[in-house]
Amino acid sequence: MFYELPTPATSAAQSLVSCIKERRSVRNYSEAAISLAALSQVLWAIQGKTGEGSERATPSAGGLYPLHIHVLVRRVSELKHGVYEYEWNTHSLKLLDDKSPEGNLTGVGIGEQPWLEESAVVIALGANFDGPVKYFESQLPRGERGVRYVFMESGAAAQNAHLQATALGLGFVLVAGFDDAKAKNAFQFAPGFEPTALFCIGQRDD
Ligand SMILES: Cc1cc2nc3c(=O)[nH]c(=O)nc-3n(C[C@H](O)[C@H](O)[C@H](O)COP(=O)(O)O)c2cc1C
């Protein structure tokens, strides 16, 4: 089942400079839901369509766009809990699993990272590295350059998402310390895909 997302805003009163200055990793969240419009805006900032063709909100080495976005929803107004996949070209969410995600991320973080279980939403980026590795295999170090580029893209997407969340007044933390196999399973990535970054998002509790 597909859920159309609200149209993202493409202008805002808050300046980019103030978002860069105010950005902090926020790990305490209230029980309140985030709005569907806010989730829509953050997903657009990560990988939304920004041109007539395949252009998206974050840069991509070789224009390959290997990143896939899965979303574990706990508390979003107007959206049932579950695991979804973001479809960048239609700006919609595809439901992968509507079972309660409670406890799904237990043990996924390396060390104690309760924010993985307390945030309203956790967004996971993932990629199949085979395409980028093959595309850049003529460049040294062979086999590694494509992998580096996927992680660089994940970092670019993380900063877009973090600044967008800051502009929306939401709490956000990038989590890269996670158990790969457990995260892959929890976010329902298909065989061949590996998670590269997790973003916890929620209403700030301060
Ligand atoms: C590559 C990377 C990985 C990170 N992984 C985690 C993580 O696993 N868990 C976490 O709570 N924070 C993680 N962080 C957030 C950092 O702890 C945080 O950015 C740092 O303490 C600086 O604080 P600030 O973001 O508020 O400026 C990560 C940040 C980066 C850039």
Side-chain angles (χ1 to χ4, degrees):
M1 193 184 296
F2 285 87
Y3 296 86
E4 220 173 282
L5 288 164
T7 307
T10 49
S11 65
Q14 198 172 2
S15 77
L16 174 62
V17 173
S18 70
C19 293
I20 292 172
K21 183 168 181 299
E22 286 167 25
R23 184 210 61 77
R24 283 279 76 84
S25 294
V26 174
R27 301 179 179 83
N28 292 318
Y29 314 107
S30 77
E31 289 290 315
I34 67 166
S35 70
L36 187 61
L39 176 61
S40 162
Q41 194 68 38
V42 173
L43 289 169
W44 175 83
I46 294 171
Q47 200 74 167
K49 187 173 167 66
T50 51
E52 294 305 314
S54 63
E55 301 92 339
R56 308 192 202 173
T58 43
S60 178
L64 299 180
Y65 298 104
L67 296 179
H68 285 231
I69 321 297
H70 288 203
V71 189
L72 188 145
V73 170
R74 294 195 185 98
R75 298 182 303 279
V76 176
S77 58
E78 305 163 67
L79 196 63
K80 192 174 159 40
H81 63 219
V83 178
Y84 296 80
E85 179 167 10
Y86 176 61
E87 304 270 335
W88 69 276
N89 51 347
T90 55
H91 192 60
S92 61
L93 286 173
K94 180 181 168 188
L95 182 64
L96 301 178
D97 185 348
D98 64 358
K99 282 205 296 286
S100 168
E102 279 324 309
N104 271 13
L105 298 190
T106 306
V108 164
I110 295 175
E112 283 293 304
Q113 304 212 48
W115 36 96
L116 279 168
E117 300 199 56
E118 293 166 0
S119 56
V121 159
V122 185
I123 295 175
L125 309 188
N128 184 328
F129 287 80
D130 293 350
V133 165
K134 199 167 172 19
Y135 189 87
F136 295 108
E137 73 187 349
S138 63
Q139 300 178 11
L140 297 174
R142 284 188 212 290
E144 267 182 46
R145 189 148 294 273
V147 175
R148 287 183 192 178
Y149 287 167
V150 173
F151 284 105
M152 283 185 197
E153 289 184 43
S154 298
Q159 188 70 349
N160 269 18
H162 204 156
L163 293 175
Q164 179 68 81
T166 303
L168 294 166
L170 296 172
F172 180 108
V173 63
L174 158 64
V175 172
F178 57 81
D179 180 298
D180 294 15
K182 286 180 184 165
K184 178 175 173 162
N185 187 41
F187 287 94
Q188 308 207 357
F189 282 109
F193 283 77
E194 297 300 332
T196 59
L198 308 179
F199 309 151
C200 299
I201 304 172
Q203 298 287 3
R204 302 171 66 115
D205 191 21
D206 50 20

